[in-house]
């Protein structure tokens, strides 16, 4: 008796963060066929939402690739998620009765590092809404920072935005120097003074991060207050780079929304050691899945 034909498997790479989830589907050789976005996939902010976003992004990637007859059960998934550096959340996501052929879980930093270097070893600095550093050498990994907006994230977009608001309020009370940020932030948010406090109180880090481009633009134009903020942030990121480089990674890349504009502010020796990322985190997640299946990176 001839058995039923074995259905072809595909690889899905998932990059899940606090604002969105990106998934890319690849064939057995690792060639990307399609990608899609879905909602937040950081289980720290909701386990069920994260799971739903992963499934939604997976279906969207299959649709975009034209793989209409391929089921989720044919996907070998590599998923890098924010929040699973916390052991409890890692375990919860590992125990998910998922619909996929296989589900290999890692942190978002691990798959970003693999994508950036096309290798399982290297170092990355993330400078986006938040900031953190990650290095993996000799099978050992180390995380620097990544404590979140309330506890750190120096050099990040949210941190820059908060520092800018503080400076603007000091200037309003004539306790700090005048700055063009007063007008720039008022133009963007439509409020000043105490109304600025009311507008931002209790808001997520992304609202503060939306002010970071104003800070960088003002600094690039020579505003002293903005220059001080960006300089402090760059000093922290440079110090982080030195710590990562002390582990002697083969490559170091900086990624995230602020990466390009922040690089000119870094210490010269750090900037000289940076390598351009070779790939994106979702592609790194595909490589991770293939690696876990025994096909190498």
């Amino acid at each position: 008796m001839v058995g039923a034909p074995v259905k072809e498997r595909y690889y899905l790479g998932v990059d899940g963060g606090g604002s969105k989830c990106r998934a890319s589907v690849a064939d057995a050789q690792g060639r990307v066929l399609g990608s899609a976005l879905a909602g937040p996939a950081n289980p720290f902010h909701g386990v069920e939402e994260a799971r739903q976003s992963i499934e939604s992004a997976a279906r969207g990637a299959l649709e975009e690739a034209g793989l209409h007859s391929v089921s989720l059960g044919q996907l070998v998934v590599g998923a890098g998620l924010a929040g699973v550096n916390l052991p409890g959340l890692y375990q919860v996501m590992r125990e998910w009765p998922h619909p996929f052929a296989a589900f290999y879980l890692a942190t978002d930093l691990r798959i970003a590092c693999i994508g950036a270097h096309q290798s399982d070893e290297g170092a990355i600095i993330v400078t986006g809404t938040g900031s953190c550093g990650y290095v993996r050498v000799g099978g050992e990994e180390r995380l620097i920072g990544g404590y979140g907006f309330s506890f750190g994230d120096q050099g990040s977009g949210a941190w820059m935005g908060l520092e800018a608001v503080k400076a603007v309020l000091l200037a309003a009370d004539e306790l700090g120097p005048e700055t063009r940020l007063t007008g720039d932030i008022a133009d963007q948010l439509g409020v000043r003074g105490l109304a600025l406090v009311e507008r931002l109180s209790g808001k997520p880090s992304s609202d503060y991060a939306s002010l970071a481009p104003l800070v960088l633009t003002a600094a690039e134009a020579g505003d002293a207050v903005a220059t001080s903020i960006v300089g402090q942030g760059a000093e922290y990121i440079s110090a982080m780079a030195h710590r990562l480089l002390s582990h002697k990674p083969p490559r170091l890349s900086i990624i995230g929304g602020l990466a390009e504009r922040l690089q000119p502010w870094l210490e010269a020796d750090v900037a000289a050691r940076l390598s351009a990322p070779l790939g994106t985190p979702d592609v790194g997640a595909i490589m991770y899945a293939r690696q876990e299946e025994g096909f190498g990176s």
Side-chain angles (χ1 to χ4, degrees):
M1 178 178 177
V2 178
V6 178
K7 292 185 177 181
E8 183 177 359
R9 285 191 175 190
Y10 293 84
Y11 291 91
L12 186 81
V14 176
D15 175 26
S19 59
K20 64 181 181 298
C21 175
R22 178 179 177 84
S24 292
V25 64
D27 61 17
Q29 288 71 47
R31 295 174 296 208
V32 176
L33 306 174
S35 302
L37 292 174
N42 182 342
F44 184 79
H45 301 299
V47 171
E48 191 56 38
E49 180 182 47
R51 292 172 174 177
Q52 290 175 0
S53 293
I54 292 169
E55 289 191 36
S56 177
R59 292 191 180 93
L62 290 174
E63 180 72 22
E64 208 269 341
L67 299 173
H68 307 297
S69 63
V70 175
S71 69
L72 296 185
Q74 291 173 251
L75 298 177
V76 175
V77 179
L81 305 182
V84 300
N85 58 308
L86 299 175
L89 289 177
Y90 180 85
Q91 192 62 32
V92 166
M93 291 304 295
R94 276 289 302 273
E95 293 172 352
W96 175 24
H98 59 78
F100 307 110
F103 185 78
Y104 298 111
L105 181 63
T107 66
D108 55 340
L109 293 171
R110 175 83 183 277
I111 58 107
C113 191
I114 294 173
H117 306 303
Q118 303 291 283
S119 168
D120 198 38
E121 300 205 341
I124 57 168
I125 295 173
V126 179
T127 54
T129 299
S131 67
C132 57
Y134 173 87
V135 60
R136 183 178 175 87
V137 174
E140 300 291 330
E141 58 185 13
R142 171 77 187 276
L143 175 67
I144 298 176
Y147 300 116
F149 183 45
S150 301
F151 304 100
D153 278 2
Q154 293 95 319
S156 71
W159 176 86
M160 285 189 191
L162 178 59
E163 292 302 305
V165 171
K166 291 177 182 178
V168 165
L169 294 175
L170 284 173
D173 287 336
E174 298 183 357
L175 295 173
E178 293 185 3
T179 170
R180 63 173 277 177
L181 291 171
T182 297
D184 292 348
I185 291 176
D187 289 343
Q188 179 162 312
L189 298 183
V191 292
R192 292 174 179 263
L194 281 176
L196 180 60
V197 176
E198 186 176 23
R199 164 68 176 77
L200 290 172
S201 180
K203 292 297 189 292
S205 58
S206 57
D207 281 35
Y208 290 90
S210 71
L211 304 177
L214 301 181
V215 182
L216 285 158
T217 296
E220 291 159 359
D223 181 86
V225 171
T227 296
S228 177
I229 293 171
V230 175
Q232 290 176 54
E235 182 179 2
Y236 173 79
I237 297 299
S238 293
M240 179 187 290
H242 285 300
R243 290 292 304 127
L244 295 171
L245 289 168
S246 72
H247 294 273
K248 303 188 185 309
R251 297 175 90 248
L252 168 65
S253 295
I254 183 169
I255 62 175
L258 299 185
E260 184 176 351
R261 294 185 72 179
L262 194 58
Q263 284 189 50
W265 297 85
L266 300 177
E267 294 177 10
D269 60 333
V270 168
R273 295 289 303 275
L274 294 176
S275 299
L278 299 175
T280 55
D282 53 311
V283 172
I286 291 171
M287 296 176 68
Y288 178 68
R290 286 174 54 77
Q291 174 183 306
E292 292 298 296
E293 285 279 285
F295 292 102
S297 60

